[in-house]
């Protein structure tokens, strides 16, 4: 697995419930991709093939747009090893949640 | 609770096990503060009082330094409401892990 | 102009001159796109159409890969207004550099 | 010079002119510290001593607060070498603006 990304979509919306509604639609889209993902407090991490992940990141903002979001700030982290394996979500997180 | 922060300490170290060792020492420090925290794949989130959280963020790099880290890149997110409550870790994450 | 992105490619390389060489190749690629861009100390900002910008962001890591980078951490900011104009680089920066 | 930080204060405010007003007050505070700084489209970079920089980062949100900002998201990058020198703003930017 050559890549892992973490994305935070921050709708420029005053009402917190509206923020949560839009963010939940983006997370539902991420779930629908079938890739392994992990929801954290500020960002959702997805792991897989770099090019596929970047297409998913690109689509997340269109999902927010279709959910009615008129303006957004988005923050993305990418870990990429062209010829190797990045640390998995499982290796980075599991031991800290037992 | 007026603030929540998320911190990623990225040691500039080639060996992945050494990265994990240093990051685990930072997480152990965060745990020692007694504040509510949540370890995600790319960052650890802590919630509490803004000023206290920023002192913890500042100390995290000294913890990495004492763990032998000679150079680091650090990425911090801060949510801050001077006179209100930010969304809690629990509200943002729990429903996605059931 | 519906979007603006800022990208930091952080090669996981010990030698600083090698980091600069790889980052300069990414900046040269960004310049070659012909879009308006702005190099800052930690990230390069590009403004234009959202979908085109995301394709450029995706390609930046392949440019670093071809420049010999075996592992990288990348940090991307996106400002996106599906039906409006985001603040321009010129509006956000010029007055602070006179 | 052991550290360099880059900070983006994103007021949770709908009106763009109000965002600019608050951000400009934070930049004015950063200027008042007398340290070398550089305003980019998404973030302002400051270089100097790590501990001093972190105190400035902490104060930036209080400046935004006093400027009337009721809720904010803040994104901070830190480069820190406990016993060495980080790349300077000048080394990272000047050649790209000639």
């Amino acid at each position: 697995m050559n890549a892992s990304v973490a994305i935070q979509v921050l709708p420029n919306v005053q009402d917190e419930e509206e923020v949560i509604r839009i963010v939940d639609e983006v997370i539902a889209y991420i779930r629908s991709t079938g890739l392994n993902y992990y929801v954290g407090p500020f960002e959702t991490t997805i792991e897989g093939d770099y090019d596929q992940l970047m297409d998913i990141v690109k689509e997340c903002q269109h999902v927010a747009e279709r959910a009615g979001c008129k303006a957004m700030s988005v923050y993305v982290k990418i870990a990429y090893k062209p010829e190797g394996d990045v640390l998995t979500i499982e290796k980075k997180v599991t031991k800290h949640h037992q």
Side-chain angles (χ1 to χ4, degrees), chain A residues 2-4 49-51 78-84 86:
Chain A
N2 69 6
S4 182
D49 169 73
Y50 170 74
D51 287 304
I78 304 163
Y80 177 41
K81 279 192 177 178
E83 294 153 17
V86 295

Side-chain angles (χ1 to χ4, degrees), chain A residues 31-49:
Chain A
R31 188 178 307 121
S32 76
T33 67
L35 294 184
N36 189 34
Y37 72 102
Y38 191 94
V39 178
F42 279 97
E43 59 186 22
T44 294
T45 301
I46 320 161
E47 55 189 11
D49 169 73

Side-chain angles (χ1 to χ4, degrees), chain A residues 23-87:
Chain A
V23 168
D24 283 353
E25 293 216 19
V26 175
I27 292 173
Y29 160 68
I30 290 170
R31 188 178 307 121
S32 76
T33 67
L35 294 184
N36 189 34
Y37 72 102
Y38 191 94
V39 178
F42 279 97
E43 59 186 22
T44 294
T45 301
I46 320 161
E47 55 189 11
D49 169 73
Y50 170 74
D51 287 304
Q52 182 184 8
L53 291 176
M54 290 306 286
D55 293 343
I56 291 169
V57 165
K58 179 178 175 179
E59 181 59 16
C60 283
Q61 283 58 264
H62 288 309
V63 171
E65 181 183 338
R66 290 193 295 271
C69 187
K70 302 291 183 213
M72 62 194 95
S73 296
V74 180
Y75 299 84
V76 181
K77 291 186 178 114
I78 304 163
Y80 177 41
K81 279 192 177 178
E83 294 153 17
D85 290 300
V86 295
L87 287 172

